[in-house]
Amino acid sequence: MEPLFTPEQLAEIHAYHQPYYIRAAVEPWVRLALSALLLGVLVRPVYRGATAAAAALERRFGAGLRKAPVSRAFFSAMDRLWGESGWGTAILFALFIDVATQLLYAPANVYFYYVLEHRYGMSNDTPAGFAWTWFKGGVVGAIALTALVVGLYGLARRVRRWWLVLGVPVALLMLVASALDPYRARLYFDQSPLPEGPLRARITALMRKADITFSDVMVEKTSVTSKRIQAYFAGQGPTRTIVLNDVILQEFAEDEVLAAVAHEAGHVNEPRWPGRIASSLAVMALLLLIDGLLRLSARRGWWGIQRPGDIRTLPLVSLVVFLLISFAAPVSGVLSREREREADRYGLKLTGDPGAFRRMLVKAARVNKMDPEPPRWLVLKGMSHPPMGERIAAVDTP
């Protein structure tokens, strides 16, 4: 059997992944140190700066914006939701911390996601394209953070059981949010329908065999930034879309593309409702925990807080969420890896072509420079997929 990598390729892959492994080991401690700095030193001065900035903006632009028809309605709605003045300070406080954190991580992000990717031939991105993608991500993140501040802290200031008022619609939204997946992806990459031809016909026949309905097969043009292959299903029900990036069409033969689609089809057949319901309940529990943190902070008077719903608790809430995610990652990783194994078994059964399935995995490993045997601690930390060496060995085992 042909080896997965030559010794030279394997050495290059190890050199490529080593910085990422170091980052995975160090980053949690950096995050904890940053949280300690924020909570121990920076909350008060950042809050004072946000208060001063909000007051200056109000003096400069407030009178005019509160009279203009559109902005007047916005200001009125925000005042009613917040219950009093101060929402501008809250939003600026959150954004100041977010921007400072982004700037702190910027050198590492540029190195890992641009320099290192180019050094090992994994990226086609230009400096302008990289900056534009980063900017779009920052804008989307800022909008999400603003919505969090207004929704969570605005309700927490005015409603006794705010966690229930906010949690129920969020939980319900999570149950159907995946229907929007095909549209979220298009924020970053252009997509176009896969042209009519043998490949589309074979994918359609394979999905008919699997009894999976879908709306279209789309080609996502990721090669402008990345040389990685990718295939996935987006959406559900009437919005379900099969997405193949243009790199996989360049690198894979038709039977190998079918094997990749068959693997992804295995995820469609997973029992998803139990997981979605559990996730929704977990969100409710998290919001209840946050409510307890807000009230505890007010009782103890931390950082000068006198009432629940004070934005100065945001770094504490972020730290607790980070710790919960970190502790849950090993368990969620075990579940995710088993889902991937089951999707491999399903794909093999659906195609009935273990040779094509093996070639698909081998090419994916080579093109994406996957470490066939990553460190065991990294796997246990919460890797979502089994190591590629393990997946290929499972195909080779009768």
Side-chain angles (χ1 to χ4, degrees):
M1 189 75 67
E2 181 185 5
L4 181 56
F5 295 111
T6 66
E8 293 78 14
Q9 290 172 327
L10 196 57
E12 182 184 33
I13 285 172
H14 287 160
Y16 168 62
H17 282 278
Q18 192 63 32
Y20 287 102
Y21 296 158
I22 295 173
R23 180 172 185 170
V26 170
E27 188 168 21
W29 304 105
V30 172
R31 180 66 181 270
L32 290 174
L34 177 60
S35 295
L37 178 64
L38 283 170
L39 295 171
V41 179
L42 297 180
V43 166
R44 292 176 185 272
V46 171
Y47 185 77
R48 287 196 297 269
T51 302
L57 290 172
E58 176 70 25
R59 289 193 300 270
R60 179 69 177 83
F61 303 107
L65 290 175
R66 290 182 183 276
K67 293 178 181 179
V70 175
S71 57
R72 180 177 61 192
F74 170 77
F75 274 72
S76 177
M78 291 294 294
D79 289 339
R80 285 198 299 270
L81 176 60
W82 205 255
E84 57 184 306
S85 61
W87 54 267
T89 295
I91 292 174
L92 288 176
F93 176 83
L95 291 178
F96 284 173
I97 290 178
D98 182 60
V99 170
T101 302
Q102 294 294 332
L103 291 175
L104 179 67
Y105 276 93
N109 288 336
V110 170
Y111 171 75
F112 280 98
Y113 303 128
Y114 186 84
V115 175
L116 197 63
E117 293 293 293
H118 278 79
R119 180 179 299 168
Y120 289 94
M122 297 302 297
S123 177
N124 293 320
D125 212 355
T126 63
F130 179 79
W132 176 238
T133 300
W134 198 355
F135 174 76
K136 285 192 292 186
V139 170
V140 171
I143 293 172
L145 181 60
T146 301
L148 171 69
V149 169
V150 173
L152 192 155
Y153 283 92
L155 284 173
R157 296 169 67 85
R158 304 185 63 208
V159 180
R160 179 68 177 85
R161 299 187 182 275
W162 66 269
W163 58 271
L164 192 60
V165 174
L166 179 63
V168 170
V170 168
L172 293 174
L173 180 62
M174 288 177 63
L175 296 176
V176 298
S178 60
L180 302 176
D181 286 348
Y183 312 106
R184 285 198 291 260
R186 295 172 194 175
L187 289 173
Y188 296 96
F189 298 106
D190 293 333
Q191 293 183 357
S192 60
L194 179 70
E196 296 292 339
L199 180 57
R200 176 181 274 272
R202 293 181 70 181
I203 290 174
T204 302
L206 189 70
M207 293 301 97
R208 189 180 300 116
K209 179 181 177 181
D211 194 25
I212 294 175
T213 58
F214 64 96
S215 61
D216 207 347
V217 184
M218 304 297 291
V219 179
E220 192 169 71
K221 299 175 177 60
T222 64
S223 63
V224 294
T225 63
S226 174
K227 296 183 180 180
R228 286 180 169 81
I229 61 167
Q230 189 176 30
Y232 62 95
F233 280 55
Q236 60 184 7
T239 69
R240 182 180 293 130
T241 305
I242 301 171
V243 182
L244 307 171
N245 75 342
D246 51 352
V247 182
I248 199 173
L249 297 180
Q250 297 165 10
E251 298 288 344
F252 280 17
E254 282 189 8
D255 58 350
E256 295 158 0
V257 173
L258 287 176
V261 172
H263 167 87
E264 297 303 325
H267 293 303
V268 175
N269 286 280
E270 293 172 354
R272 297 194 172 191
W273 284 108
R276 290 173 181 168
I277 292 172
S279 298
S280 297
L281 293 176
V283 167
M284 296 286 289
L286 175 62
L287 292 177
L288 182 58
L289 174 62
I290 291 173
D291 180 64
L293 285 174
L294 300 185
R295 296 187 182 282
L296 177 63
S297 301
R299 287 197 304 270
R300 297 294 179 85
W302 292 336
W303 310 293
I305 292 170
Q306 297 180 347
R307 58 180 292 184
D310 194 298
I311 192 62
R312 282 170 283 188
T313 60
L314 181 62
L316 176 62
V317 170
S318 299
L319 173 60
V320 170
V321 171
F322 166 73
L323 291 174
L324 289 174
I325 292 174
S326 298
F327 287 128
V331 176
S332 63
V334 168
L335 298 175
S336 177
R337 291 192 296 276
E338 184 53 38
R339 288 196 298 269
E340 295 299 331
R341 294 185 188 100
E342 184 58 36
D344 279 349
R345 290 190 284 267
Y346 178 91
L348 276 167
K349 183 178 179 181
L350 181 61
T351 61
D353 189 350
F357 207 91
R358 186 186 196 279
R359 291 194 300 274
M360 180 271 292
L361 293 176
V362 169
K363 281 190 177 180
R366 289 175 177 172
V367 174
N368 289 357
K369 285 188 168 59
M370 298 178 181
D371 189 344
E373 296 181 359
R376 188 62 183 166
W377 66 265
L378 189 66
V379 176
L380 297 176
K381 185 173 180 284
M383 274 183 59
S384 61
H385 287 61
M388 187 57 80
E390 176 188 322
R391 295 175 66 186
I392 294 172
V395 175
D396 293 338
T397 302

